[in-house]
Amino acid sequence: MIWIIPLLPIAGFLVLTVFGRRSPWQFSAGVGAGTVGVSAVLALIAGFTLASLPAAERSVVSSLGSWVVIPGFSVNFGLRLDALSDLMTMVVTVVAFLIHLYSTAFMRGKGDYHRYFAYLNLFVGSMLLLVLGSNLLVLFVGWEGVGLCSYLLIGFWYENPENGRAANKAFIVTRIADAALLVALFLTVAAFGTLDIPKVLASASAAGGSGIVTAIAALLLVGAIGKSAQLPFQLWLPDAMAGPTPVSALIHAATMVTAGVYLVARMHIFYALSPGVQLAVAIIGAATLLYGGLSALTQHDIKRILAYSTISQIGYMFLGLGVGAWSAAMFHFMNHAFFKALLFLGAGVVIHRLNDEHDIFRMGGVRRTDRLLFWLFMIGAGALTGIPLVTSGFYSKEAILESAWLYPHAGPFFWVIGAFGVFLTGAYVFRLFFHVFTGKPKGEGGSRPASAIFYPPMILLGLGAIFAGFLRTPRDLGNVKVISSFLNPVLASQGKESAGISTEATLQIIVAALSLLGVLAAWLGYRRSLKRRGTEAVTGHELSVGGRFLLSGMGADWLADNLVVRPFMWFAGLLRRDWLALVYVGVGRLSVLFHQALRYTQSGLIRWYLLGIGVGVLVTLGMVVFA
Amino acid sequence: MSLVYLLLLPFVGGVLAAVIALKSRTWAHAVMMIAVVAMGVIVGIDFGVTGAAMASASGGSAAASGGSLRYLLETNAPWIPSLGISFHLGADGLTFVLLALTVVLGIVSLVASWRSTREHEAFYLLSIGLVISGVTGVFIAADLILFFLFWELMIVPMYFLISAWGGKGRERAAMKFFLFTQASGLLMLLSMIGLYLAHGSSTGTYTFDLAALSSWSSGAAASVPMVLLFTGFVIAFGVKLAVVPAHAWAPDAYAEAPTAGSILLSGLLLKSGAYGLLRFSIALFPAQTRQIAPVMLILGVITILYGGILAIRQTDIKRIIAYSSIGHMGFIILGLFSWTTLGYTGAIVMILSHGFTTSALFFVSGALEDRIGIRDIDGMGGLRKVVPRLAGAGTAFLVFALALPGTGNFLAEFLVLTGTFQVDIPIAVLGVVGSILSVIYALRAVHRVFDGVRKGEGKAEDLRAHETVALAALAVLVVWIGVLPGPVIKAAAPDRAAQLQTTVPYLGQGGGNG
């Protein structure tokens, strides 16, 4: 019966594909949101049931039958609901349901309504297959499925070719990373003879720190960072903002991009056994969180700021995984899903109200038109920054940084990076906040009314953004361990003694101060830009060289274009003519040549023929006489 | 006897349809369709009946004495006894899988031909009937000369299909197709005769019967003459399968053939090359095939990569599909020559899945060409708005072709590469690179054709009911194979395939701790 959870949205997809075009919009809305809603309810029921079970029994396996059975290899349609997959399932379905609700209003008049909900349903179904899969092949089906839906939804407004290009970029970059994931699957089959996750994990433990385990860990990591838009595969995510905003909220913030985090967490034994690769995870996480934060500082497209923010926050999750804080990383994932979705949905309302304006320098004073949105967005921004004590972001970042400090390989160094990231986060998100919500409205005005349906989902997300944090608090602040004990059977954390309470408290205070400093820096920067530019709209030309560099994502697109894309397309263009086939053309020409040559023997001149006969007779006689 | 009906139905159907076509086009098509459907019914019944009997009988009596093959259905009648040629037909599980493919693609090609008009409709239908008949014969022949007869029977009407009803470059394309396959076929004939003579001089019986020859030759001592004979077969099948570098005839033939021709060509004729490798090369010369396997693996991966890279910058949509198709053939080669059960199973699944996917793609491109008149993707664009259902189908099948998990294409590629990985890691990794290439060309095609804004003017009508049904059925088949490959795998399992069981010990292990 666990199978109902992913199958229901997939059924929704099929129904909408066949019947959607000719049905009224309410049908699409109903089917789309309904299937996900039911799945969400089922997921929550399953979650609470699971939580009430003793730790040892906290998993349920359900199989729909065998998929491939050949001598030596078999794989089935298996789903496994355990603490980790259940946490993800609950978050995915609930957030997806809220976003579906929001979309029923948002997407009216913005394109093929039924197609949107069909794709979104297929996405949710695939994501659920991904997290619930009990073997790596089912996981991979979900993995590619979400990639496909991401592609379909980024390019949803297909009339603008730019959107299609962004969609292609996303798919191709992630497919390159997925190639590594596939090789990891081959290696797993070759080494362990199975793709069943519990069996693979058990075999890996038995195998210890062998080269194969390390290789698989590394390959899985490459696949994970592609899907999760970490360095160096991050360049597809900012462009993916071309899709409708609810899509950005769901796929490119809360769920699909966290699939990499899930994969590493699920296969954490491989990383625990390969300290080198785990260090790489931490390094990638730390580098990416800096990269995302710095790049976000200069962006002026509201969604791009949030996109780089997502890249950065997932960097935190990878940092958490890298330092062995598995459940802390998952905790941050959950909170991030709430506040990032809230921020994106809020941005969607802003964009909608301002007639599809995306540039924050052309916005302003939204507080006056939409008080509720102002507060909701502030909650989201605060949670993202990690405003101390009252936001979930504070607690989850704290959990990660706490473990980072204790990491045996240069822990404090990673802590410093993470702490600096908190400062950056406050700075970039409140920069956005001040430019959009405070001050006087800048653009030509004219506000499109926002539907009432936008708000309930955001309110619920806001509540999550505040209260979900209390599921795990540090030792000196209540020592709540709900999340970690829930996840413990699956993700026993890599044991380390904790630092003393006073060290912890000091570190917390520093980070809290940094978050507030970030907000302050944003405020000061905003005031300065107001003074300099008055009320005119500002474009990116005002940036310094350094600023422009950050604006371009540190030249990532330029690098990818010139180092990879252009040379490759040039090479493919060289081969456009089928050179190997020219050999045969040569053969053909040679035959024609012979033909031309031999034609001359058909000259029509009798004396030539008589000569030929004569010579032939002489040769034949000679052969007879001398043989 | 029913095997003979399978041969006769498309042939007689074609003749009847040709006669009727002189009076009524619609009835002619209907008759042909009925013939193919009837063929399908017979295949279904036969397989159901004999398959059940097979399953209930113990599968363990593999103690086949030399020459006794486990055919599910057999027809054997002397034909030209003085030359040792018999009219011997045989079908096992693998055959039924391929016959099912034949029937489906026959139906699809007829649906694709339904609406567009052409000259000499009678001859067209006759050619299609002959091609289907020839392909069927290739799949069920158990006597070498009979096999060669049907091999030729496939080629000649296809030549006419291309040269009479094809696109602009049809004369050249048809000629290339014919020369390549005919020349390699003649090499195969030489090898057959050589084998006949060798067997005869060694055992005293002169026969062309596959069973007798394979049990002798698989045990015969390796020698240069054997290698030469083997080469003749391999070249013929390799050319047919469009292995790089013998692929040169394929892109032109695909691109210039009429839609039905492309469907039959890509879906069936090329697969007969794979089938020939399996049934003849491997069964007759297992040792030599084993020896040549590393070379074939390399050629296979080159085919995958070459097909993929060339597809990227093509502007003719049929050529994109053509090179994509060639790339997929590379996977079949990898699967067969990896000599693992995983690889073999993947190859069989690919044969089916690729047949469905590529025929659907040609169907779509044919529908596009009918409506807009061009094949050049640079001249297309914005078609999603104009013909949404057709665009949806095109996108869906291009996405299937890039091996989306859940489809047969993915399952096939995964099984093939997992098997190949256990034999040769670098080649498997290169194969995965091939799957990246397929994403690039497929998405490029979707983007250029369907996204954006329409350049030309003129209305174009969306898919009609029968076209939608055909494409939907193909989509269901592709997904069905990807999700429930069980029946196909069981039917075509190597221990069931008649010759393979007695002569080829496919590795039973997919790897792992054993």
Side-chain angles (χ1 to χ4, degrees):
Chain A
M1 359 85 259
I2 312 175
W3 268 98
I4 301 183
I5 300 183
L7 281 184
L8 208 47
I10 294 183
F13 158 72
L14 288 172
V15 166
L16 288 174
T17 311
V18 176
F19 299 111
R21 187 178 301 273
R22 266 169 283 213
S23 314
W25 69 268
Q26 292 91 336
F27 179 74
S28 303
V31 171
T35 53
V36 179
V38 173
S39 287
V41 168
L42 289 174
L44 288 170
I45 295 178
F48 286 114
T49 320
L50 217 61
S52 63
L53 291 173
E57 293 168 34
R58 215 174 275 167
S59 76
V60 179
V61 177
S62 165
S63 169
L64 270 189
S66 59
W67 187 358
V68 177
V69 178
I70 42 185
F73 176 74
S74 76
V75 81
N76 69 347
F77 291 116
L79 292 186
R80 183 191 166 83
L81 188 69
D82 60 16
L84 176 60
S85 60
D86 188 51
L87 177 69
M88 293 222 46
T89 307
M90 287 194 288
V91 173
V92 167
T93 48
V94 170
V95 174
F97 174 64
L98 293 175
I99 294 181
H100 270 81
L101 271 184
Y102 177 98
S103 305
T104 56
F106 189 85
M107 291 304 292
R108 294 270 285 136
K110 288 200 179 117
D112 291 332
Y113 204 71
H114 72 283
R115 203 159 61 93
Y116 174 85
F117 279 100
Y119 291 160
L120 211 59
N121 264 19
L122 183 61
F123 168 79
V124 175
S126 304
M127 187 73 202
L128 291 171
L129 279 180
L130 198 165
V131 301
L132 285 170
S134 74
N135 61 64
L136 289 170
L137 202 55
V138 174
L139 188 153
F140 191 74
V141 172
W143 188 273
E144 291 288 303
V146 297
L148 171 72
C149 295
S150 161
Y151 160 79
L152 290 172
L153 285 164
I154 295 174
F156 182 73
W157 288 314
Y158 53 84
E159 275 131 340
N160 182 350
E162 283 301 319
N163 299 341
R165 269 195 276 278
N168 284 5
K169 189 173 172 182
F171 205 132
I172 293 175
V173 171
T174 47
R175 185 47 100 94
I176 295 177
D178 291 347
L181 185 52
L182 266 178
V183 179
L185 292 190
F186 301 153
L187 196 47
T188 309
V189 174
F192 303 126
T194 174
L195 286 174
D196 184 63
I197 295 182
K199 290 200 194 120
V200 170
L201 291 177
S203 306
S205 304
S210 71
I212 292 196
V213 169
T214 311
I216 295 179
L219 289 167
L220 288 175
L221 178 62
V222 174
I225 58 182
K227 197 63 107 197
S228 293
Q230 301 292 286
L231 289 170
F233 287 105
Q234 84 295 350
L235 58 147
W236 63 269
L237 191 53
D239 286 351
M241 298 297 112
T245 307
V247 167
S248 308
L250 180 59
I251 299 186
H252 302 126
T255 50
M256 181 180 99
V257 290
T258 52
V261 178
Y262 168 76
L263 182 64
V264 174
R266 175 59 83 191
M267 308 295 282
H268 65 282
I269 293 189
F270 280 85
Y271 294 92
L273 290 172
S274 317
V277 181
Q278 197 175 14
L279 179 60
V281 175
I283 293 177
I284 291 176
T288 309
L289 77 87
L290 272 186
Y291 168 86
L294 288 171
S295 300
L297 270 180
T298 54
Q299 304 295 323
H300 46 87
D301 180 318
I302 188 174
K303 287 178 71 176
R304 272 182 102 92
I305 297 176
L306 294 177
Y308 279 107
S309 167
T310 305
I311 292 176
S312 175
Q313 294 303 307
I314 298 180
Y316 271 101
M317 296 179 215
F318 271 83
L319 178 60
L321 293 171
V323 300
W326 319 112
S327 51
M330 294 312 296
F331 183 45
H332 192 54
F333 147 76
M334 180 178 79
N335 295 337
H336 175 262
F338 294 137
F339 58 68
K340 195 44 77 61
L342 170 59
L343 285 172
F344 264 109
L345 293 186
V349 176
V350 171
I351 294 172
H352 178 89
R353 276 191 182 279
L354 297 180
N355 289 311
D356 298 327
E357 179 59 70
H358 282 234
D359 190 333
I360 61 172
F361 294 128
R362 285 193 236 274
M363 303 179 186
V366 178
R367 187 182 92 210
R368 304 198 191 165
T369 18
D370 198 334
R371 249 314 137 93
L372 178 55
L373 184 63
F374 169 75
W375 287 109
L376 286 171
F377 208 92
M378 191 185 323
I379 293 175
L384 175 57
T385 310
I387 301 292
L389 298 176
V390 290
T391 60
S392 59
F394 170 72
Y395 292 106
S396 56
K397 280 193 213 182
E398 202 25 63
I400 291 177
L401 291 177
E402 199 176 277
S403 299
W405 181 263
L406 297 166
Y407 184 54
H409 307 288
F413 173 67
F414 287 110
W415 185 93
V416 167
I417 295 184
F420 181 57
V422 171
F423 171 75
L424 286 177
T425 310
Y428 68 67
V429 75
F430 276 94
R431 169 176 170 266
L432 188 165
F433 181 75
F434 293 135
H435 270 100
V436 173
F437 287 92
T438 63
K440 300 204 240 329
K442 284 201 181 101
E444 290 79 51
S447 199
R448 197 198 274 156
S451 155
I453 302 186
F454 288 157
Y455 298 94
M458 290 199 290
I459 295 175
L460 286 171
L461 288 171
L463 289 174
I466 299 178
F467 292 106
F470 299 128
L471 285 172
R472 188 203 194 284
T473 61
R475 287 189 312 154
D476 55 335
L477 291 172
N479 204 18
V480 177
K481 279 194 187 312
V482 175
I483 285 271
S484 24
S485 52
F486 179 66
L487 289 174
N488 203 41
V490 183
L491 292 179
S493 40
Q494 279 180 296
K496 25 182 93 56
E497 339 78 61
S498 51
I501 289 250
S502 56
T503 325
E504 272 184 28
T506 321
L507 296 176
Q508 285 163 19
I509 293 178
I510 300 179
V511 171
L514 282 171
S515 65
L516 295 170
L517 279 174
V519 179
L520 184 62
W523 176 248
L524 293 174
Y526 171 67
R527 300 297 301 174
R528 202 163 60 117
S529 77
L530 271 190
K531 277 200 206 91
R532 271 201 302 174
R533 296 153 196 163
T535 52
E536 286 139 32
V538 167
T539 63
H541 299 314
E542 307 270 325
L543 289 173
S544 61
V545 173
R548 275 201 295 270
F549 177 64
L550 290 179
L551 178 65
S552 70
M554 300 195 198
D557 284 319
W558 183 91
L559 270 177
D561 205 35
N562 288 298
L563 283 185
V564 178
V565 179
R566 272 183 220 275
F568 176 75
M569 289 307 265
W570 170 82
F571 176 65
L574 271 189
L575 287 178
R576 186 205 315 239
R577 299 201 61 199
D578 196 342
W579 297 104
L580 287 180
L582 288 183
V583 172
Y584 303 100
V585 176
V587 168
R589 297 244 170 92
L590 210 59
S591 328
V592 173
L593 216 63
F594 275 124
H595 159 75
Q596 306 282 24
L598 286 175
R599 266 176 68 202
Y600 285 108
T601 60
Q602 308 295 308
S603 62
L605 301 167
I606 307 258
R607 51 183 177 278
W608 282 39
Y609 297 161
L610 285 175
L611 180 62
I613 293 177
V615 169
V617 166
L618 278 175
V619 168
T620 318
L621 281 178
M623 277 174 20
V624 168
V625 167
F626 293 114
Chain B
M1 245 340 252
S2 56
L3 287 180
V4 179
Y5 287 139
L6 289 179
L7 281 177
L8 283 181
L9 268 172
F11 174 63
V12 168
V15 169
L16 270 180
V19 167
I20 298 179
L22 299 172
K23 273 277 160 53
S24 156
R25 198 180 160 277
T26 326
W27 275 109
H29 276 262
V31 164
M32 193 68 222
M33 181 68 88
I34 291 175
V36 178
V37 170
M39 203 181 137
V41 168
I42 296 185
V43 169
I45 296 178
D46 276 343
F47 187 45
V49 167
T50 55
M54 238 338 223
S56 57
S58 74
S61 52
S65 59
S68 115
L69 299 162
R70 300 266 298 283
Y71 282 126
L72 293 181
L73 264 190
E74 217 170 333
T75 306
N76 200 347
W79 189 15
I80 310 179
S82 53
L83 285 176
I85 305 176
S86 54
F87 191 79
H88 187 184
L89 305 172
D92 62 8
L94 174 63
T95 319
F96 279 114
V97 167
L98 292 170
L99 286 177
L101 179 66
T102 311
V103 169
V104 170
L105 291 186
I107 295 178
V108 171
S109 62
L110 284 174
V111 173
S113 322
W114 202 269
R115 284 224 146 228
S116 38
T117 50
R118 54 190 69 79
E119 296 181 5
H120 313 299
E121 191 80 31
F123 192 25
Y124 179 82
L125 287 173
L126 179 62
S127 302
I128 292 194
L130 285 175
V131 170
I132 297 181
S133 199
V135 169
T136 310
V138 162
F139 288 147
I140 61 181
D143 176 285
L144 291 193
I145 291 296
L146 197 60
F147 176 81
F148 185 74
L149 172 80
F150 288 118
W151 186 265
E152 296 295 303
L153 189 59
M154 275 191 317
I155 299 179
V156 175
M158 182 57 78
Y159 168 82
F160 284 118
L161 275 176
I162 301 178
S163 71
W165 295 282
K168 283 204 201 66
R170 59 184 181 270
E171 309 278 348
R172 241 177 128 240
M175 186 60 78
K176 260 170 118 167
F177 161 75
F178 186 77
L179 286 176
F180 268 83
T181 43
Q182 186 72 320
S184 54
L186 287 173
L187 271 177
M188 179 171 70
L189 181 62
L190 273 178
S191 290
M192 285 178 179
I193 296 177
L195 193 56
Y196 167 81
L197 293 173
H199 174 258
S201 64
S202 142
T203 62
T205 0
Y206 281 86
T207 172
F208 276 104
D209 187 68
L210 178 61
L213 287 176
S214 65
S215 60
W216 171 78
S217 64
S218 52
S223 59
V224 173
M226 290 300 270
V227 172
L228 284 178
L229 294 177
F230 167 66
T231 314
F233 279 98
V234 167
I235 291 182
F237 297 130
V239 169
K240 200 66 196 233
L241 194 50
V243 180
V244 171
H247 66 289
W249 62 272
D252 289 319
Y254 278 130
E256 303 300 337
T259 309
S262 303
I263 291 175
L264 292 173
L265 191 54
S266 68
L268 295 175
L269 268 70
L270 264 77
K271 306 304 169 22
S272 64
Y275 172 79
L277 279 173
L278 203 46
R279 188 73 90 194
F280 290 81
S281 304
I282 295 182
L284 288 171
F285 306 98
Q288 287 82 357
T289 316
R290 202 71 203 268
Q291 270 177 328
I292 206 188
V295 174
M296 291 307 285
L297 284 180
I298 295 180
L299 284 182
V301 87
I302 291 179
T303 307
I304 296 176
L305 293 174
Y306 196 73
I309 292 192
L310 255 75
I312 293 180
R313 295 300 287 252
Q314 299 300 321
T315 49
D316 178 340
I317 192 167
K318 283 184 91 164
R319 269 181 194 275
I320 296 179
I321 304 173
Y323 283 110
S324 155
S325 201
I326 292 177
H328 288 130
M329 294 300 109
F331 279 103
I332 295 183
I333 296 169
L334 281 189
L336 290 179
F337 287 95
S338 70
W339 221 261
T340 59
T341 316
L342 275 169
Y344 168 85
T345 312
I348 303 290
V349 174
M350 180 62 94
I351 287 180
L352 280 179
S353 187
H354 166 267
F356 298 141
T357 323
T358 311
S359 59
L361 282 174
F362 278 120
F363 195 105
V364 166
S365 78
L368 276 177
E369 201 183 343
D370 279 343
R371 287 154 172 79
I372 331 181
I374 49 172
R375 289 196 329 235
D376 185 349
I377 62 176
D378 286 334
M380 302 188 195
L383 288 176
R384 200 180 296 278
K385 190 116 197 140
V386 180
V387 281
R389 273 210 299 277
L390 184 52
T395 311
F397 284 104
L398 277 167
V399 162
F400 290 166
L402 58 80
L404 179 76
T407 61
N409 282 53
F410 166 72
L411 190 63
E413 288 186 17
F414 181 77
L415 290 173
V416 164
L417 290 176
T418 311
T420 311
F421 189 84
Q422 286 155 19
V423 173
D424 192 324
I425 293 185
I427 290 199
V429 173
L430 284 176
V432 178
V433 172
S435 76
I436 300 179
L437 294 175
S438 61
V439 173
I440 299 179
Y441 66 67
L443 293 186
R444 180 174 170 271
V446 169
H447 183 60
R448 291 284 188 96
V449 175
F450 299 122
D451 287 345
V453 184
R454 179 105 173 85
K455 279 183 199 146
E457 299 92 33
K459 296 184 59 61
E461 60 163 322
D462 208 347
L463 288 178
R464 298 193 120 92
H466 66 280
E467 293 169 321
T468 316
V469 167
L471 286 172
L474 283 172
V476 166
L477 282 171
V478 172
V479 173
W480 180 69
I481 296 241
V483 170
L484 290 173
V488 169
I489 294 181
K490 270 207 279 280
D495 58 313
R496 295 281 205 93
Q499 283 84 349
L500 294 178
Q501 162 206 33
T502 53
T503 60
V504 172
Y506 259 107
L507 292 184
Q509 299 310 313
N513 310 314

